[in-house]
Amino acid sequence: MLYEVNRLAAFASEYEDAFIKAIIDRSAKAAENARVRKQRELDGLMSRDKELDMLFERLYEDNVAGKIDDARFAKMANRYEQEQGENGKRIKTLRLELKQSEGKRMDIDDFLTTVRRYTNATKITKRMVGELIDHIDVYHAEKQDGVTTQCVVIHYNCIGAFDVPDRRKIPEADIIMETRKVVAVSYAPVV
């Protein structure tokens, strides 16, 4: 993890413009995809809400005209009202999420400042983890040809999982881990 943070910091300081462009492109695409998906769902729910209003009106008119009995009317009306209530809650949630996503802009300058602070870090601290890392995905270890490999993906705050491009060779750090006897640990960045 320390090695990846150092690679990210080195890349961000040496290739700041490329780093900013990569972050903006990535976050803009992800945000736009999420916004479009939520807007599409909201439009569908709004359309269904109007359709339910018309169905309820027809149902009421059919009940008044005697085309359906009161028991059937009550059962169908209850189902329509329940669906409309659930849709109303989801509509409210989607509108709130869309409004929040419009107001939420990633502050790249703050993230760069934080990354620069840890450019030459020699050990991981709780503060570093809290400021830089959102979460870490650790996958099952797989054994192949007697070698066990395990994939670990670091998701950074603001930018998510960012694979540092290998524009220059960043020297590999000596990584020392306290492990059990007869367990060798080596680091291989994803290429």
Side-chain angles (χ1 to χ4, degrees):
M1 190 165 78
L2 179 61
Y3 177 68
E4 279 299 310
V5 169
N6 283 332
R7 285 185 74 225
L8 179 71
F11 178 75
S13 66
E14 186 163 332
Y15 299 103
E16 187 171 315
D17 292 339
F19 181 68
I20 291 171
K21 183 180 181 323
I23 290 173
I24 290 173
D25 289 349
R26 180 188 174 109
S27 65
K29 286 177 189 173
E32 183 60 21
N33 288 342
R35 189 196 66 73
V36 166
R37 182 182 47 77
K38 287 177 183 178
Q39 187 63 51
R40 201 174 296 141
E41 184 181 354
L42 178 63
D43 292 344
L45 287 172
M46 296 290 289
S47 174
R48 179 63 180 161
D49 192 51
K50 289 179 184 176
E51 182 182 347
L52 286 171
D53 282 340
M54 290 189 309
L55 288 171
F56 193 74
E57 284 180 31
R58 286 189 206 138
L59 183 65
Y60 179 76
E61 289 171 359
D62 288 348
N63 181 256
V64 170
K67 293 180 181 176
I68 61 171
D69 63 16
D70 290 339
R72 183 76 177 149
F73 170 78
K75 185 177 180 182
M76 292 176 72
N78 190 20
R79 192 179 79 209
Y80 287 154
E81 286 176 358
Q82 182 180 0
E83 183 181 350
Q84 214 166 22
E86 291 169 1
N87 287 352
K89 289 176 188 175
R90 183 67 184 145
I91 287 170
K92 187 176 181 180
T93 301
L94 284 171
R95 283 183 175 158
L96 181 64
E97 288 174 1
L98 285 168
K99 190 173 185 176
Q100 286 174 343
S101 69
E102 289 172 9
K104 186 190 288 184
R105 298 286 184 240
M106 181 177 51
D107 193 355
I108 295 170
D109 291 334
D110 286 347
F111 186 75
L112 279 172
T113 302
T114 305
V115 168
R116 283 188 196 114
R117 191 173 330 138
Y118 299 112
T119 299
N120 295 317
T122 56
K123 69 179 197 175
I124 294 180
T125 64
K126 288 181 181 179
R127 182 177 178 187
M128 178 193 300
V129 171
E131 289 180 351
L132 288 177
I133 298 171
D134 180 39
H135 69 279
I136 300 172
D137 294 335
V138 180
Y139 297 93
H140 263 45
E142 296 177 4
K143 193 168 193 172
Q144 188 175 16
D145 298 330
V147 177
T148 303
T149 58
Q150 187 170 21
C151 182
V152 177
V153 179
I154 300 171
H155 294 265
Y156 296 97
N157 288 330
C158 301
I159 63 171
F162 184 79
D163 190 25
V164 178
D166 199 15
R167 292 193 175 181
R168 69 178 185 104
K169 293 291 180 190
I170 301 172
E172 287 199 26
D174 291 331
I175 298 175
I176 300 170
M177 293 183 64
E178 295 177 23
T179 61
R180 302 184 314 256
K181 287 184 178 180
V182 205
V183 176
V185 177
S186 66
Y187 174 80
V190 177
V191 183

